[in-house]
Amino acid sequence: MHDIAKILSDLSHVYAQSVARLREDIARFAEGGALPPPSRRHDGSYCYPELRIRLASEPDNVSTGRSFGRLTQRGTYACTVTRPDLFADYLAEQLELICGGYDVSVTVAASRQEIPFPYVLDGASAAQIGKVTPQELARHFPATELAHIGDEIADGDYVIGDGPLPLSLFDGLRTDFSLARLAHYTGTRADDFQKYVLFTNYHRYVDEFVDWAGRQLGEGHHVALSGAGGLYLDAHTEDARARLSDTAWRRHQMPAYHLIAPDKSGITLVNIGVGPSNAKTICDHLAVLRPEAWLMIGHCGGLRPTQKIGDYVLAHAYLRDDHVLDPVLPPEIPIPAIAEVQVALAQAAEMVSGSGGADLKTRMRTGTIVTTDDRNWELRLSQTGKRLSLSRAVGIDMESATIAAQGYRFRVPYGTLLCVSDKPIHGEIKLPGQANRFYEEAIAGHLAIGTTTCALLKAQGARLHSRKLRAFNEPPFR
């Protein structure tokens, strides 16, 4: 019987030792120019801990119904780990499944993958280095080598050779790279991100979410609301949007807001702005946190004459004209709808709207969403109109297919529920007065569907993770 707590403790011990050693040596160098001992770069002194799992015999490969926590062949599986404290619950879940289902040996030791110095310099440590430049530090300490950071495992481009099989989609180096980027783009700590993520493309959803989240504090298991610009509330608050910082948008490209639960089962909202580049970027980095699901709750252009401003579109397919992922996920690869998410979104729409069946169908269309990389797609309608018609599309935006494709790529359940904000093909364009009325009437209900969907998905537990997202030779960890 494996002691999971001991394994996690060993990971934390090796990681803490490496970080402390690297910080101490950097501080000595900054103070008086003392160079680190040459052995430091060769004996694992600055390295991430490595988790190794060895299966000595061939597994029987009987279906368990699970999409993760499975070993498919005999051999050694390994990955480096960063921030064991941040990933403790995730690691424990994966280890319990594998150690409980297979006769394996588990070891923890220092790896040979070094921790780059930027990832250990927190506020206090960074202040100690004074006027020492990053270039000077890079001559003597491990630096960020982009050639060693990538998504080859997630994209199926890795070559095993004589080494161990991958245990997870992301190693310590790739994870640290994204943790730093998340703080930069969203203005919040990686520690505050929750397991259920809502993406939006309009700031007014932020106001509504912050107001709603402030009212949840003290009413259930949520303990705090944090966000970009220094927002932090830990008690029931009415009109919480009044606490928002007006500088968040200027300082952070994609500000995030977190309704925090102790077990991270709360909800994170990220305002990703407009365009597939932002959508790809945020998913690249959020994926390392292994969220349970992410959903796009934003606006779209309606493409059908019967649609009205404020109607909903539940995406069940995507026409990927965003092109931002074409090199790693060709557009001919189908992005399937995730049944568990689709059902939850439809059920939430019924619960929030108070209508169902034929009545709900008059307000919510199910169909294909086109995601384009051309903000002025209307100007080329004479060239693209036939393609839109052939796709049977009911809505068009600039983010949803990118987010769904990234969910498919990184094995994160995904879904899309959009709200029609205009109908350019049919002469209903956005005008200031109409926009204000639309926002006031539609946003609260739309966001409520998103948050209700998160609650429904949470109730599903492990059933949410569909096997349709798993590749042929999949790493065991979710």
Side-chain angles (χ1 to χ4, degrees), residues 94-278:
Q94 310 309 305
L95 287 168
E96 285 168 1
L97 288 173
I98 292 173
C99 293
Y102 302 91
D103 182 13
V104 296
S105 61
V106 182
T107 58
V108 173
S111 70
R112 287 298 178 263
Q113 186 181 70
E114 292 183 305
I115 306 173
F117 72 83
Y119 302 148
V120 305
L121 296 179
D122 55 19
S125 302
Q128 292 179 355
I129 68 174
K131 296 182 180 180
V132 178
T133 66
Q135 290 78 12
E136 289 177 280
L137 291 175
R139 293 192 192 104
H140 308 290
F141 299 96
T144 304
E145 297 286 349
L146 293 179
H148 300 154
I149 303 173
D151 288 320
E152 288 79 8
I153 297 175
D155 292 331
D157 291 331
Y158 63 91
V159 178
I160 296 298
D162 296 327
L165 298 162
L167 187 57
S168 65
L169 292 175
F170 306 108
D171 60 13
L173 194 57
R174 170 67 169 82
T175 301
D176 264 341
F177 176 81
S178 282
L179 296 182
R181 290 296 192 274
L182 279 175
H184 170 75
Y185 285 123
T186 69
T188 59
R189 304 184 314 147
D191 305 60
D192 288 351
F193 278 84
Q194 302 297 291
K195 295 178 181 179
Y196 300 90
V197 180
L198 299 178
F199 296 119
T200 189
N201 50 13
Y202 283 91
H203 179 74
R204 290 177 187 255
Y205 281 78
V206 172
D207 296 339
E208 190 66 36
F209 178 80
V210 168
D211 270 353
W212 172 79
R215 295 192 297 270
Q216 307 310 304
L217 301 177
E219 302 297 323
H221 72 296
H222 298 110
V223 297
L225 169 65
S226 71
L231 175 69
Y232 190 84
L233 303 172
D234 58 6
H236 184 97
T237 304
E238 296 292 336
D239 193 29
R241 74 174 68 187
R243 312 291 186 92
L244 287 172
S245 168
D246 290 334
T247 66
W249 252 118
R250 289 192 288 271
R251 293 177 58 194
H252 306 290
Q253 185 172 338
M254 292 179 275
Y257 303 86
H258 315 280
L259 179 58
I260 299 172
D263 59 357
K264 295 190 180 296
S265 65
I267 302 173
T268 286
L269 176 81
V270 186
N271 184 3
I272 64 174
V274 177
S277 180
N278 275 8

Side-chain angles (χ1 to χ4, degrees), residues 56 87 119 164 207 254 389 443 455 478:
F87 293 98
Y119 302 148
D207 296 339
M254 292 179 275
S389 179
I443 287 177
R478 177 174 66 79

Side-chain angles (χ1 to χ4, degrees), residues 4-16:
I4 305 299
K6 175 68 164 52
I7 295 171
L8 297 179
S9 176
D10 290 346
L11 287 168
S12 295
H13 178 71
V14 174
Y15 178 74

